[in-house]
C-alpha cells in the first residue's frame, strides 16, 4: 500500500528515521557506559519497545501498571513503572507480574510503603522499589533530605520491600530559556540525584540503580556524571514539534498524522479532518520547546494549525490554501507525540512512499 492510499486521519511513522533515532540514543548511552531504559509511554507499542531492546536497551520504562501488563504479555521482561503506584488493587497486579518478570516501581512516601509491605507479605519475592527525587519539575518525588532519610530507613526495616534505587525526571528542561540554561537545569538535576544516592550509601544502602531522564539534554549530547547508572528517555524515538524546536530541526521527527483537506471556505482558511481527538490540543508556551499553534504541517514552510475542534483542524494561511486542493492529504507533526499515539489503534510504518508494516498500539488507553 502507498501512503497516499491510507484513509485519514492516520498515525504514520517513518521507519528509517525512527531506527536512526533508536540507534542514536543507544550509541549515546553506550558511549557513557550507562544503561538505556526507554520510556515506552511515548509510543505504547510492544513492537517498538522490542526494537529498542534489540538495539541494546537494558529494559523499558512505562507509566502505568496497565502498560506494564501489556508489555509483559508481549515478551518484555524487565520493566520499571516510573510512577508512584498506590493502592492494593494495583499492587496486587504488580505482585502477579513479579512472578514471571523483573518489575520495579516508584515510591516517595512511607504511607505507600506500608501498603506495599502488607500486599507483598505473602510473596516469594520482595517488591522492588525506586524512590523518586524531585529535581525542579515541581511534580512528585521527595524534596526534603530528612523525609528521604526517614523513607530509606523505613524501607530498610521492611521484610518484603527492597530499595533498588532512586530516579528523577528533569522535565523542567523543556522550559529552559536556551541550550546553556538547559545544561544548567540538567546538571543540577544530576547533582541533586547523586547527592541523594550518597545519602542512601551513608545509611548503609548501596543502590543498584541511579536513574535520570528527559529527552532534551541527551539530544544536545550533554555529559552524564559518574554515579548515574541509567537513562530513561522517551520522546527521542519519534520526536515531535517541541523537541524539533529545541534542536533546531524537524529532521528527526519520525511520526506524523496524515489528514485530508476537506474544506477551503475562505481565501485563507483550510479545514482538515483531524481534530483534538486525533492530534490533542497540547502546546508548549515557553522555553526551547515552545510551539506555535497546535501542530505543524510537514513539507510546508511555517504553516501551523491555528486551532482545533474535536474533529476539525483549522489553518489560516493564504499561500497554503492556494497550494492545496480538496481531497489532498497532508502530514501534521504533532506538538507532543506521547498523547497522540494513545489516540490511535494502529500506526503505519512507512519507508519512502510505501507502507511497510501496520503496528498495533496495544497499550492504548491503559491508564490504570
Amino acid at each position: 500500500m502507498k501512503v497516499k492510499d491510507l484513509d485519514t486521519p492516520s498515525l504514520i511513522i517513518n521507519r528509517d528515521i525512527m531506527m536512526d533515532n533508536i540507534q542514536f540514543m543507544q550509541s549515546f548511552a553506550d558511549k557513557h557506559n550507562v544503561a538505556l531504559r526507554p520510556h515506552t509511554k511515548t509510543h505504547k507499542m510492544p513492537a517498538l519497545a522490542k526494537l529498542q531492546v534489540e538495539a541494546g536497551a537494558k529494559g523499558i520504562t512505562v507509566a502505568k501498571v496497565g502498560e506494564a501488563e501489556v508489555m509483559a504479555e508481549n515478551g518484555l521482561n524487565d520493566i520499571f513503572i516510573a510512577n508512584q503506584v498506590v493502592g492494593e488493587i494495583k499492587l496486587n497486579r504488580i505482585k502477579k507480574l513479579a512472578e514471571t518478570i523483573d518489575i520495579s516501581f516508584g515510591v516517595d512516601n512511607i504511607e505507600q510503603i506500608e501498603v506495599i509491605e502488607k500486599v507483598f507479605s505473602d510473596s516469594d519475592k520482595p517488591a522492588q522499589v525506586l524512590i523518586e527525587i524531585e529535581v525542579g519539575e515541581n511534580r512528585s518525588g521527595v524534596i526534603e533530605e530528612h523525609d528521604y532519610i526517614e523513607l530509606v530507613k523505613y524501607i530498610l526495616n521492611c521484610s518484603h520491600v527492597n530499595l533498588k534505587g532512586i530516579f528523577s525526571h528533569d522535565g523542567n528542561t523543556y522550559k529552559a530559556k536556551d541550550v546553556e540554561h538547559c545544561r544548567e537545569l540538567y546538571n543540577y538535576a544530576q547533582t541533586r540525584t547523586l547527592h541523594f544516592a550518597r545519602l542512601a550509601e551513608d545509611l548503609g544502602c548501596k543502590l543498584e540503580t541511579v536513574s535520570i531522564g528527559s529527552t532534551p539534554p541527551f539530544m544536545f549530547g550533554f555529559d552524564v556524571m559518574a554515579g548515574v547508572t541509567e537513562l530513561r528517555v522517551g520522546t527521542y524515538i519519534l520526536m515531535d514539534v517541541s523537541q524539533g524546536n529545541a534542536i533546531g530541526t524537524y529532521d528527526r521527527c519520525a511520526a506524523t498524522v496524515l489528514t485530508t483537506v476537506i474544506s477551503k471556505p475562505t481565501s485563507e482558511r483550510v479545514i482538515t479532518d483531524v481534530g483534538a481527538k486525533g492530534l490533542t490540543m497540547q502546546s508548549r508556551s515557553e522555553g526551547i520547546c515552545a510551539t506555535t499553534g497546535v501542530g505543524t504541517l510537514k513539507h510546508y514552510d511555517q504553516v501551523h494549525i491555528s486551532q482545533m475542534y474535536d474533529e476539525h483542524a483549522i489553518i489560516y494561511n493564504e499561500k497554503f490554501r492556494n497550494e492545496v486542493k480538496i481531497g489532498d492529504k497532508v502530514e501534521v507533526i504533532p506538538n507532543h507525540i506521547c498523547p497522540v499515539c494513545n489516540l490511535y489503534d494502529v500506526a503505519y510504518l512507512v519507508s519512502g512512499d510505501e507502507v511497510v508494516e501496520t503496528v498495533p498500539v496495544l497499550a492504548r488507553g491503559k491508564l490504570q
Side-chain angles (χ1 to χ4, degrees), residues 16 60 83 131 167-169 186 235 237 247 273 291 320 341 363:
D16 303 321
I60 63 168
N83 212 334
I131 297 174
F167 72 107
S168 64
H169 180 244
Y186 165 68
T235 312
I237 183 175
I247 64 174
D273 69 348
T291 56
F320 175 72
C341 289

Side-chain angles (χ1 to χ4, degrees), residues 22 26 38 48-60 76 78:
I22 290 174
Q26 188 61 55
L48 301 194
K50 287 180 179 179
L51 291 175
Q52 291 171 299
V53 171
E54 288 167 5
K58 177 183 179 181
I60 63 168
L76 284 303
D78 188 344

Side-chain angles (χ1 to χ4, degrees), residues 309-321:
Y309 296 91
D310 285 353
E311 312 293 352
H312 299 78
I314 317 296
I315 301 160
Y316 289 96
N317 188 293
E318 184 175 358
K319 183 174 183 293
F320 175 72
R321 193 260 185 208

Side-chain angles (χ1 to χ4, degrees), residues 101-170:
I101 69 167
D102 291 328
I103 186 161
S104 55
F105 57 98
V107 299
D108 73 357
N109 61 84
I110 289 176
E111 292 88 345
Q112 189 184 0
I113 301 300
E114 291 172 343
V115 183
I116 298 170
E117 176 77 353
K118 173 187 173 183
V119 170
F120 277 78
S121 62
D122 61 351
S123 176
D124 293 335
K125 298 179 181 178
Q128 303 293 320
V129 303
L130 286 80
I131 297 174
E132 182 175 15
I133 309 302
E134 213 288 319
V135 292
E137 188 178 26
N138 296 327
R139 201 167 64 176
S140 52
V142 176
I143 298 172
E144 302 296 339
E145 286 186 16
H146 63 85
D147 291 331
Y148 174 76
I149 290 170
E150 290 304 308
L151 179 56
V152 171
K153 287 180 177 178
Y154 190 91
I155 295 173
L156 292 179
N157 284 322
C158 288
S159 301
H160 306 287
V161 184
N162 177 59
L163 180 55
K164 182 177 180 180
I166 61 176
F167 72 107
S168 64
H169 180 244
D170 51 308

Side-chain angles (χ1 to χ4, degrees), residues 168-185:
S168 64
H169 180 244
D170 51 308
N172 52 326
T173 58
Y174 284 67
K175 297 181 180 180
K177 293 176 289 187
D178 52 35
V179 174
E180 285 309 307
H181 187 217
C182 182
R183 188 195 305 272
E184 177 184 327
L185 294 173

Side-chain angles (χ1 to χ4, degrees), residues 90-106:
K90 290 182 174 65
L91 291 169
N92 274 303
R93 290 160 62 192
I94 291 177
K95 184 171 68 171
K96 180 67 175 177
L97 284 170
E99 295 175 2
T100 55
I101 69 167
D102 291 328
I103 186 161
S104 55
F105 57 98

Side-chain angles (χ1 to χ4, degrees), residues 264 266-270 317-325 328:
K264 302 197 302 179
T266 74
S267 61
E268 61 175 355
R269 188 193 312 160
V270 177
N317 188 293
E318 184 175 358
K319 183 174 183 293
F320 175 72
R321 193 260 185 208
N322 292 333
E323 290 176 350
V324 296
K325 303 185 301 294
D328 281 356

